[in-house]
Structures are given as C-alpha cells and as structure tokens.
Amino acid sequence: EAWARSRRAIKIFSRKVNCAPLVALPVMKGASDCHMCGRCSQFRGAIELAPRMPNHEIVHVAGSDPKPWETVLIVFGLMGVAVGAFHWSTSPWYYEAKTWAATWLIDRGATWVLSIQPPWWLLTNYPDNNDALTLLDGTLLIAYVLATAVVIAAGVSALLALATVALGRWRSQAFHHLAQALIPIAGCGVFLGLFAITISMLKADGITFGPTASIIRAAMLAGAWLWVVSLAWPITGRYASSRVRRGAATVAVAGAAGIGVFSWVLLFFLWA
C-alpha cells in the first residue's frame, strides 16, 4: 500500500535501487531471496531493513509460497542423510550388516570385494594410519546412509501428513509449512554432528570436555524440540481455529521432531 501511495504522489521520480538478486521489491514479503544489503531500505517509504525474530519468517511468510524442495531438504536431507552420515561409524547395525555381508561373500568365494581398496578421492584410503575402506565398506556405507534417510523421512513425513489432516483436510501448503517448523531440530542435529568432529580433533590434542559436552548436547536438543513446538502452534493457527485440531496437529509435529531428537540421542548417549 505504501508503495502504491508513493506512485500516486506528486514526486513521480524516485531513486533507483541496485538489487543484486533482482528481488521483486513491490511484492517482497520475506527475506529468503534477499541479500539484506540494505540498499532498498526506506525506498518509497515501503521497505525497511530492521531486525525481527526468525520465527516471524517461518510462521508468517514461509506458508505463502510453499517450496517442496525445501521440505525434501529438511526432512530427507538434514534429518535423514545427515543422521546416517554421522551414525554409520558408531552404529552397531552397520557393523552387524558388514559382518553378515562379509561372511556371505566369503562363503561364496567373493573375497575380492573385501580386498579392493578404492583410491583416496573415492573412499578413505590411508593404510599407514590404519584408516582404509574397502569396496564392501563403501557400498554398505552408502546403503546405510540412504536407508537411514528413507526410514527417518518416512516417519517424519507420515507425522507431518497426520498433522495436516488433523487441521481439517489435506492441503499441501499446510504440509510444507509445517515442515518448516522442523528447521530448529534439523539445524541443531547437523551442528551437533559437526561439533562431535571438532571434539574428536581437540581430544587428539589433549583438550577434553568431559561430561560438559553431553550436557550441552542434551540442552541443545531439548531447546530445539521446544522451539519446534513453539513454531508449530502458531503455524496451525493459520489453517484451523479449533484448539483441539491445532493441539492434535502440534502433537504430531512434536512427534516428528522427536524422531530427530531420538536419532541423535542414539549417537551421543546410547551408542557412545
């Protein structure tokens, strides 16, 4: 409205804006496509560069333009593939599968699968440091990561679908909007996975965190889960007015976030 008023004002000519990502300024509602350089701030009295909570972007903007690929990234990528990529090195399931596969291959004389070590640029290959992966290791690694991603994504997607239906009827817009509520737990998990690598590197240099690391992990996972719930409740309010429906949908989203929490609890507390 402010933009339209400025066009009707006496001063027709206005300063130009050099927008690098070529955002459609008159209809811009969120900052997802914006570089936030501030060049358009105060332009025509309709745009303002100002701080606001990230919750606002997720609750009030993300649902207006649902993007399925963002849902795939959150649910399958950050909550699935990332978990499998950090899980496999300590997962008892991976080692059980590896033992079974190795035994099955040896019984059939296919020992070459256990002896071939691909080059370093394909799989880890540093035999001097006792760190090398065979063709069997690489195949099972990829299979484990993909299987983990599929299982987690299926569970999370089912709960998101249940939450969508709980709001009254199936709407893909609501499904993708609810998926945006999982951003805190998705991002927290990847951060904790990378943080674990940092801790291992520091441990090699004699710097240890002791129980402090576990406390930090537990606090971050709990905080991320609560953040998801705090996002899910206002999002449901955009698609239903009934508190019963909103509550049921929020519980389903909380369950989806719980899958993410449990996957990291396995790594840091049950398998450690």
Side-chain angles (χ1 to χ4, degrees):
E1 294 176 357
W3 186 287
R5 285 196 302 270
S6 72
R7 298 294 295 268
R8 294 193 297 265
I10 298 176
K11 295 182 179 180
I12 300 177
F13 299 100
S14 178
R15 66 182 178 90
K16 296 182 182 297
V17 175
N18 180 15
C19 179
L22 300 177
V23 176
L25 300 179
V27 295
M28 180 174 63
K29 293 182 175 62
S32 61
D33 298 323
C34 175
H35 288 180
M36 290 178 282
C37 64
R39 295 172 184 173
C40 64
S41 183
Q42 306 306 322
F43 183 57
R44 293 188 179 275
I47 300 176
E48 179 184 13
L49 179 65
R52 67 179 180 183
M53 294 297 292
N55 289 18
H56 183 278
E57 192 84 7
I58 295 174
V59 174
H60 299 286
V61 179
S64 60
D65 184 21
K67 299 177 180 178
W69 279 113
E70 290 187 357
T71 301
V72 173
L73 173 62
I74 295 169
V75 176
F76 184 81
L78 296 177
M79 295 187 68
V81 173
V83 170
F86 288 111
H87 262 207
W88 72 271
S89 60
T90 58
S91 171
W93 302 328
Y94 171 80
Y95 286 103
E96 288 179 6
K98 180 180 176 180
T99 301
W100 177 87
T103 303
W104 188 86
L105 290 171
I106 291 174
D107 290 343
R108 285 155 180 78
T111 57
W112 58 272
V113 182
L114 306 175
S115 58
I116 293 180
Q117 295 181 350
W120 63 268
W121 46 267
L122 188 60
L123 288 174
T124 300
N125 188 10
Y126 301 103
D128 294 338
N129 297 328
N130 196 27
D131 187 13
L133 295 177
T134 65
L135 189 60
L136 175 64
D137 294 322
T139 303
L140 288 178
L141 189 159
I142 295 173
Y144 181 87
V145 171
L146 292 178
T148 301
V150 169
V151 171
I152 291 179
V156 171
S157 298
L159 287 170
L160 289 178
L162 180 63
T164 304
V165 174
L167 292 174
R169 60 185 177 86
W170 172 261
R171 283 174 288 190
S172 59
Q173 179 182 2
F175 177 85
H176 295 304
H177 199 178
L178 290 171
Q180 295 280 322
L182 298 174
I183 289 176
I185 191 63
C188 177
V190 174
F191 177 85
L192 289 178
L194 296 173
F195 182 53
I197 297 176
T198 302
I199 290 178
S200 299
M201 296 174 67
L202 292 175
K203 185 177 180 180
D205 292 331
I207 302 175
T208 58
F209 288 84
T212 305
S214 297
I215 296 174
I216 293 174
R217 288 164 176 159
M220 290 190 66
L221 287 173
W225 185 84
L226 291 173
W227 193 352
V228 170
V229 175
S230 70
L231 286 170
W233 177 254
I235 289 176
T236 59
R238 299 178 66 85
Y239 301 96
S241 57
S242 170
R243 287 184 173 269
V244 175
R245 289 188 177 278
R246 293 179 62 188
T250 301
V251 169
V253 176
I259 293 178
V261 172
F262 179 71
S263 63
W264 294 106
V265 168
L266 279 177
L267 176 62
F268 295 127
F269 299 99
L270 299 183
W271 292 343

